[in-house]
Each structure stands twice: as structure tokens, then as C-alpha cells.
Amino acid sequence: MGFFKKIEKVEKSEEPLEESGSELLELRKAVESAKVPESVSAIAQKELERLEKMDPGLPEYVIGLNYLEFVVSLPWQNLSDDQLDFGHAEKILETQHHGLKHVKERILEYLAVRTLCSRRDFHILVVDDEEIARTNLEYVLKKEGYQVTAAANGQDALNALQKGEFELILTDLKMEKMDGMQLLEAAKHVSPTTEIVMITGYATVSSAVDALKKGAAHYLPKPIDLEELRSTVGQIREKKRSIQITKSPILCFSGPPGTGKTSIGRSIAEALGRRFVRISLAGLRDEAELRGHRRTYVGSMPGRIITEIRRVGIRNPVFMLDEIDKIGQDFRGDPASVFLEILDPEQNSRFMDHYLDMPFDLSSVLFIATANVMERLPEPLLDRLEVIRFPGYTEEEKRQISKEYLIPRQVREHGLRHGEIEFTDGAVSRVIWDYTLEAGLRGLEREIATICRKLAKIRLQTSGEWQKAVVDEQLVERLLGPRKYTHETADGGARLGVTTGLVWTEFGGEIISVEATLMKGSQQLILTGSLGSVIRESAQTALSFVRSHARDFAIDPDFFEGNDIHIHLPAGAVPKDGPSAGVTIAMALISLLTGRPARRNVALSGELTLSGMILPVSGIREKLLAAQRARVGRVIFPQGNKIDVDTLEEGATKGMEIVLASDVGSILDVVLAGKE
Ligand code: ADP
């Protein structure tokens, strides 16, 4: 029920009180029948009573109504059962995704740990000096499937605790020798993770509160209500299980867009039999977007986390926090601490949304984060994340995935039947080469969708005669129009002062050009192309290196006198940074100053030192794939990256010549052609 709608209703209504009365009546019913914990129910009742006394014309009345509706609609106790069939999970991951071997392996390990943790027996120690009470408890709990050991007094219980592992102690308070309170204190030393529930008579409620202060998880009044016993033990078991499970680091999928991060997240949810939700954090500017606004003004809203939980209707979904590296630069508050609180199972069992204004237990949620660039994340957050890298796909993988997954899915989603459309291998390659230029599959899937959409229209127009459409290279061009990408880097010849570089960005590896020119001036180095400070320093280093080693390259040592040098990195509007363009810049300068054109179909990546050494860089596989996409067949990488090159799979190196170099001198003839 929205606020504005409600106001309108009140103004128009001739009998506002009566109508609001029936509304409250309904709400009362909802509050009374809602499956909510007692503490929540008490707060809801209080709020309801406040509303019943309030003038319905007041804005606070509507705020209160909306709030109560929200509270009772939350899935406070609604959990879906985990389906922990390991074989089933393995099959889902395997059949829904091609390749991604190490990703699948890591996820299966993660699920294996979950399965084992949840199967572990829950061992309870029952302590009571009254034999009948002890035996009764033992009987009831065993019947619930728990493993139970009984002890007749505190001392026996401690002995048992020293010998074995217990998840929970259920102890009477009043006992001879050592009472429950003493046992509680001693047990906290011997086994700090064991939870303790105190059983007290009515007369000793104040000691029960004392027990809670000293670290007991709960207390149960005597005579024990069996339902309450079952639910208390069940909740403790559930909490311990989820803490145990989620204690492992939070998974964070990192990689370029379109490499299957979301899709694997969905498969994990399916494998576990859980619901899946996803929110994108790109551009998030305010903590309140996540945690909600305080309920002090009209229009205040709950945060996105709790809103999504309400929408899925269970409190243990697989929850994907997409693009946590893209939180707005101007974020108010400390993003790391907000996320740590949301993600840490010790803290998130009492997650506070400002609107809801009471703790909600998020500890059963399985959070998965995704990020394109891990380096952007603050250190404390990185420490808590286990990063799983999603690599870009090789051309061969893209072809396979298109045939096995993307095409059948798009054909189906466009109302066509399997067998009505067939793509030739050439057509798929054509779409990949000429219509996409990306590490992932988003553009490719979009182009395939466009083809299917256009064919669906043709299919309807030619209803009778349609048998089967074979999509070949010509048809691709007819349907998608002229090619979107040309491979001018690879096809272009050698050019003076222009070299080809490989860089790593959030979209995967990319191919860039570096242009250098010399003109009359006053010894200035002009740098353009949205360059960050690191890349600017690389350019300075490259220039100093060339000036100090001019003679080695047969360059006039005074070339800078009376001149300016301008280095530009197109595309000018795309921000660029990082040290790996150093060698590419140096080679552009050497080409310019020696008059030897640089071969554009040789791509370079490496950090340069002042003495001309080439230092290793990161993202070798992604850079190699970028070269492959641009049809550049020869790549120069630092010698220090040999280990990365040696571990590349065949698909990534296919058709590529990789030259490893440790200093600039050794690559002159590979990059530079003869003097013009
Ligand atoms: P991301 O979340 O990394 O941006 P998506 O999960 O949205 O990427 O993937 C884009 C598309 O490519 C989806 O349709 C997905 O199903 C498909 N896809 C990605 N990787 C694979 C794979 N290994 N096998 C099959 N389909 C894949």
C-alpha cells in the first residue's frame, strides 16, 4: 500500500474512520496470524495499538500502516530446505556451463564443505540431577534425531565436555555440587563455541537473565514446553550450521562482463534448491540505499537488501551482490564496513535495516559478490573474500558455447523450434569476428538474438513455405548489416611512431595504439588520452630511457632540444592507467626517432625500467585473447612472465607466436621494420 494512494483515499472517503477501522482490523488479523518471532510480534502489537488510537488523517498513521504491513510480510522464519545432493549439484554445474573447469571445481569444493558440515551430528549434553527429568529430555531429543549424552551434575558434565565435542548443553540451573551457572562459566572456558541453554524454575527468572548476560544462548522455564524446546534447539542448530557453513570466506566472482558469473550464481542456487536474487551495486551512493531510511519521514523506505528478501519470501536465498567494485566514488559512509557487516555471519544474524528498526537474521543467506576489478576493493573487504576468477573465452570456446547453449536458448526464446534454424560454423565465426569484440559473451548472445528475432518475423511472413533456415555467412550479413568491427591493427602495415599495445581493463584484455610525434617546441612531453598517473610516469620513464640510450639506437642525442614530444593513446575518452604500456611507449618513441616504422601486427606489453629492462605484467591470458580477437598473431611479453605463458592452455595460444623478452634492445628487430 503506497503512501500517496492512501492519502487520496482518506481525503475522498466520507467515512474515513470506519474505513480505517476495517483496515486496522485486517492488519490486526495479519499481525496475529503472521509467523513472526515473539519479539517481533510484541513490537507489531504495540505499533498496532498506537495506530488504533491515532487520527487516520495524520501522516504518521499512514507511515505506521505501511510499516506494519512491511513487518508482517517479511519471511522471518521462512527457510527453504537445502538440497545437498552433491552429485546433483555437480550435474547442474556441468550441464549448464561449458568449460570453466577451475571455477566449477572450486564451487564444488565449497558445496562439499557445506554438505559435510550440515551432515555433522548435533551432539547435545543434557545435565540434570533429577533422573526423571534427565531421561525425559534425553528421550525427546533423541526422538528428534539428535545425538544425546546425559550427565547427573555439573562436574560430570564438565568431564564429558573435556572428553568429547558438544554443540549444545541443556542444563538445569539448580543442582547440587556445581550448579548451572557455575557450569556455564566453566564450560565457556573449556569449549567456548558450545551453546548453553539454561532450564529454570519460575522463581528464578532473574538468574535466567543473569545466565543470558553470562553468555547462555537461551533459557527455558520449567515445566518445559515441548514445542518451545524443539524450536529453541532447532534454531540453535540452524544458527550453528549456517555460521559453520558461512564461516568459509564469501565467494567473489571476478572477471570481465559476460563470462558467466551471474549464470554460475543461478546454477549454485538451483543446485542447492534455493531461490536466487541479485542486486547491482553499480553507482551506489548512500549506505541508506542498502540499509533503508529511518522511519521518521513520509516516504522513508526499507533498504534494498531487506526489500529483496521480502520479495523472494524466504530468508535463505542465494543473494548476488553484483559489481561491488563499482560502488560510487562519492559513497557516503565506509562501504567496506557496511559490507563486512552484511557479509559476516557473526554480525549479520542481527542485521539492522534502519526502516525496519529491529534485527533481521541474514545468517542463512548465501551471499556471492561479483566484481570486474578486484584492485578497486578496500583491503579489509578483500581479506574476507575468496576470489574466483572468471577468465575471458577463447574463440573456440565462444563457438562451442554458441552452438551448445546460446543458439538453442535464443531459438527457443524467440518462439522458434529446435531444427527450424541451423547456424553454420562459418556463420558463428563471422558473428564472433565481425560483430563482437569482447572477452565475454554478452554481445555475441545479443547478436544471435537479433538474428533469431529477424528470422521469427520472416517465419511469420512466409508461414506456409518455411521448412528450415540455414544461417550462413551471407545471411548473417543480410540480417545484421555491415560488419561492426574491422581488424585494421592486424591488417594495417608498419607505421612510424605508432605501436600496438596490450592492456588489461575491466572488460578483459584490450588492444591499444600508442602514437608519438615530434614537433618544434621547448622540450615538453605532452601526454593525452585520459591517462592516469602511473601511465604518465611510464611515459616519462620511456622518454628518459630513450634520451639516455640515444646512441645505442643511433638516435641523435640532442633530438629533444628545440622540440616537443607528444604521446597520445586513442581512444581519447577511455581512461587508461597501469605500468604495462611502458615498453609500448618506448618502442613508439624509438620508431619515431630512428625513422624505422613499427609493425602494427606485433603487440607488446611490459613495464619498462630506466635502464631498459622489461618487467613482468599481469593479465597475460586476457591480453593474449585480446590479441587473438584483433587478429594480431605476434605478441611480446616480458621474460618474467614465462611461467604464465607456459601454463596457458592450447586454445589460448593457438595460432599465436609469443616472444619473451627481458630488455628493449632484444626486440628492436621484432617490432621495427627497415628504414623507409
Ligand atoms: P556475467 O554475469 O559474468 O556478466 P552472464 O552470467 O550474464 O555474465 O553471462 C552472459 C551469458 O553467457 C549468459 O546468457 C550465460 O548463460 C552465458 N554463458 C556465460 N558463460 C557460459 C558458459 N561457460 N557456458 C554456457 N553459457 C555461458
Side-chain angles (χ1 to χ4, degrees):
M1 175 191 316
F3 164 63
F4 295 108
K5 208 164 131 204
K6 175 67 195 137
I7 288 283
E8 192 189 350
K9 210 166 167 187
V10 172
E11 281 172 358
K12 279 185 189 166
S13 166
E14 284 165 13
E15 295 165 307
L17 273 176
E18 202 171 295
E19 201 172 304
S20 70
S22 74
E23 212 161 44
L24 282 179
L25 218 61
E26 261 175 43
L27 202 54
R28 177 167 280 285
K29 268 192 228 150
V31 169
E32 275 160 12
S33 62
K35 279 210 264 167
V36 298
E38 245 170 63
S39 56
V40 177
S41 165
I43 294 177
Q45 292 281 1
K46 230 164 112 188
E47 181 73 18
L48 197 61
E49 280 160 24
R50 202 173 66 88
L51 286 183
E52 281 165 347
K53 289 186 205 129
M54 197 185 279
D55 172 5
L58 289 175
E60 284 82 4
Y61 179 79
V62 184
I63 299 178
L65 273 188
N66 286 344
Y67 173 68
L68 263 185
E69 274 198 339
F70 184 75
V71 170
V72 294
S73 66
L74 282 174
W76 292 95
Q77 298 180 325
N78 217 356
L79 284 167
S80 63
D81 282 339
D82 269 359
Q83 191 179 335
L84 287 165
D85 176 348
F86 193 65
H88 172 71
E90 198 170 6
K91 202 166 142 207
I92 286 188
L93 280 176
E94 205 47 62
T95 52
Q96 294 184 349
H97 296 91
H98 174 93
L100 296 176
K101 195 161 162 264
H102 81 276
V103 172
K104 290 175 186 166
E105 224 166 78
R106 179 63 193 91
I107 289 169
L108 284 172
E109 285 164 16
Y110 181 83
L111 295 179
V113 174
R114 287 184 76 92
T115 314
L116 284 183
C117 281
S118 69
R119 276 194 197 149
R120 220 164 85 165
D121 282 335
F122 193 80
H123 203 161
I124 304 175
L125 181 59
V126 170
V127 195
D128 202 316
D129 53 1
E130 254 182 70
E131 198 184 341
I132 298 183
R134 201 168 59 227
T135 325
N136 275 348
L137 272 176
E138 201 178 343
Y139 172 77
V140 171
L141 291 169
K142 274 191 175 159
K143 224 174 132 198
E144 287 289 302
Y146 298 110
Q147 204 182 331
V148 186
T149 302
N153 57 53
Q155 194 51 55
D156 283 1
L158 264 190
N159 293 343
L161 200 58
Q162 268 151 351
K163 281 190 218 130
E165 221 180 290
F166 294 90
E167 272 72 34
L168 172 66
I169 301 174
L170 213 59
T171 175
D172 191 17
L173 178 63
K174 287 246 175 324
M175 288 183 296
E176 301 213 341
K177 270 196 205 168
M178 180 188 269
D179 70 8
M181 207 65 89
Q182 288 166 311
L183 173 61
L184 169 66
E185 280 172 32
K188 282 281 159 202
H189 282 289
V190 180
S191 173
T193 56
T194 304
E195 298 282 0
I196 296 160
V197 171
M198 197 67 75
I199 302 171
T200 66
Y202 278 118
T204 51
V205 167
S206 67
S207 6
V209 174
D210 236 24
L212 289 183
K213 279 191 192 146
K214 287 197 171 131
H218 218 288
Y219 73 88
L220 292 171
K222 271 184 181 173
I224 294 178
D225 173 50
L226 280 190
E227 220 16 75
E228 199 179 349
L229 172 72
R230 276 192 202 106
S231 108
T232 307
V233 175
Q235 274 173 27
I236 291 175
R237 183 198 170 124
E238 165 60 30
K239 188 173 155 208
K240 289 213 80 165
R241 182 160 68 161
S242 62
I243 287 180
Q244 219 163 29
I245 288 169
T246 23
K247 223 183 218 160
S248 48
I250 294 120
L251 295 181
C252 178
F253 296 167
S254 124
T259 43
K261 301 184 291 298
T262 312
S263 168
I264 285 269
R266 272 184 211 285
S267 295
I268 293 179
E270 191 180 332
L272 290 172
R274 290 191 178 199
R275 301 254 180 90
F276 180 79
V277 279
R278 169 173 169 258
I279 58 172
S280 171
L281 302 176
L284 188 80
R285 297 176 59 175
D286 199 333
E287 202 183 315
E289 280 183 57
L290 284 180
R291 279 174 179 284
H293 293 271
R294 290 196 189 285
R295 222 171 351 111
T296 42
Y297 63 92
V298 177
S300 55
M301 296 216 299
R304 286 164 68 187
I305 303 262
I306 212 82
T307 306
E308 284 303 314
I309 294 283
R310 177 198 184 195
R311 198 178 57 75
V312 291
I314 52 162
R315 65 177 179 85
N316 64 341
V318 171
F319 201 127
M320 188 168 256
L321 297 168
D322 225 359
E323 306 192 302
I324 52 167
D325 57 330
K326 298 258 178 60
I327 293 174
Q329 295 285 322
D330 49 354
F331 184 83
R332 265 176 285 150
D334 173 12
S337 69
V338 180
F339 283 115
L340 284 178
E341 195 192 321
I342 293 173
L343 299 172
D344 185 349
E346 302 279 352
Q347 298 183 51
N348 71 11
S349 59
R350 298 184 60 77
F351 172 73
M352 276 301 250
D353 180 279
H354 294 321
Y355 177 83
L356 185 60
D357 205 21
M358 48 184 145
F360 188 90
D361 185 0
L362 291 180
S363 61
S364 306
V365 175
L366 172 60
F367 283 106
I368 299 176
T370 82
N372 293 133
V373 185
M374 295 309 297
E375 289 69 22
R376 284 203 200 118
L377 296 181
E379 201 60 43
L381 186 55
L382 262 178
D383 280 350
R384 279 291 285 133
L385 300 175
E386 157 133 10
V387 180
I388 299 186
R389 299 208 181 261
F390 280 59
Y393 292 112
T394 63
E395 305 303 331
E396 186 47 39
E397 283 172 322
K398 286 184 183 177
R399 251 192 301 276
Q400 288 284 346
I401 295 174
S402 299
K403 281 168 68 176
E404 288 172 37
Y405 299 91
L406 307 183
I407 294 175
R409 181 161 64 226
Q410 289 304 329
V411 166
R412 217 175 31 247
E413 282 178 9
H414 285 81
L416 297 155
R417 252 175 299 146
H418 178 67
E420 279 187 326
I421 295 186
E422 188 189 308
F423 279 68
T424 65
D425 286 354
V428 177
S429 299
R430 186 81 198 274
V431 180
I432 296 172
W433 284 122
D434 293 347
Y435 295 87
T436 67
L437 193 64
E438 56 178 359
L441 299 162
R442 286 206 186 152
L444 180 56
E445 189 164 24
R446 210 170 27 240
E447 297 300 336
I448 292 171
T450 306
I451 294 178
C452 292
R453 196 174 62 238
K454 290 185 184 287
L455 285 177
K457 182 172 157 235
I458 298 173
R459 165 87 174 82
L460 273 189
Q461 285 168 338
T462 56
S463 51
E465 309 122 48
W466 181 285
Q467 291 288 326
K468 177 178 181 181
V470 176
V471 182
D472 58 13
E473 294 181 52
Q474 285 75 34
L475 190 55
V476 166
E477 193 168 345
R478 238 183 68 207
L479 297 174
L480 294 183
R483 62 195 296 177
K484 288 189 181 156
Y485 298 98
T486 52
H487 300 287
E488 39 99 26
T489 320
D491 303 336
R495 277 179 60 191
L496 207 61
V498 181
T499 45
T500 305
L502 291 169
V503 290
W504 189 83
T505 73
E506 62 186 277
F507 303 106
E510 287 208 34
I511 200 139
I512 57 159
S513 287
V514 173
E515 301 175 346
T517 109
L518 186 77
M519 58 215 164
K520 287 264 165 286
S522 53
Q523 292 212 351
Q524 272 195 62
L525 174 64
I526 305 163
L527 301 169
T528 54
S530 299
L531 308 182
S533 60
V534 179
I535 206 167
R536 285 176 167 271
E537 285 176 4
S538 297
Q540 293 277 4
T541 310
L543 178 61
S544 299
F545 163 69
V546 175
R547 285 178 74 186
S548 59
H549 292 75
R551 276 185 218 288
D552 299 347
F553 304 119
I555 296 171
D556 172 9
D558 299 328
F559 71 87
F560 207 24
E561 248 158 60
N563 288 319
D564 283 347
I565 284 189
H566 186 161
I567 294 172
H568 178 64
L569 270 69
V574 181
K576 306 167 194 78
D577 209 359
S580 68
V583 178
T584 324
I585 297 173
M587 289 311 296
L589 285 172
I590 296 173
S591 158
L592 174 76
L593 299 167
T594 54
R596 291 176 67 182
R599 297 188 178 97
R600 303 211 52 219
N601 57 2
V602 177
L604 301 130
S605 184
E607 180 174 349
L608 181 76
T609 69
L610 263 185
S611 56
M613 303 306 288
I614 303 178
L615 300 184
V617 289
S618 56
I620 290 296
R621 185 176 185 279
E622 296 300 316
K623 287 174 179 171
L624 195 62
L625 293 186
Q628 217 179 43
R629 284 198 288 279
R631 301 224 169 181
V632 168
R634 196 185 255 189
V635 173
I636 299 176
F637 283 139
Q639 181 71 40
N641 282 113
K642 184 169 188 318
I643 178 126
D644 304 301
V645 172
D646 287 347
T647 47
L648 288 170
E649 81 275 18
E650 205 185 312
T653 53
K654 198 171 161 197
M656 305 295 291
E657 183 192 340
I658 301 172
V659 178
L660 294 172
S662 52
D663 64 288
V664 170
S666 66
I667 55 171
L668 290 182
D669 293 332
V670 186
V671 181
L672 304 180
K675 237 179 182 164
E676 273 176 350

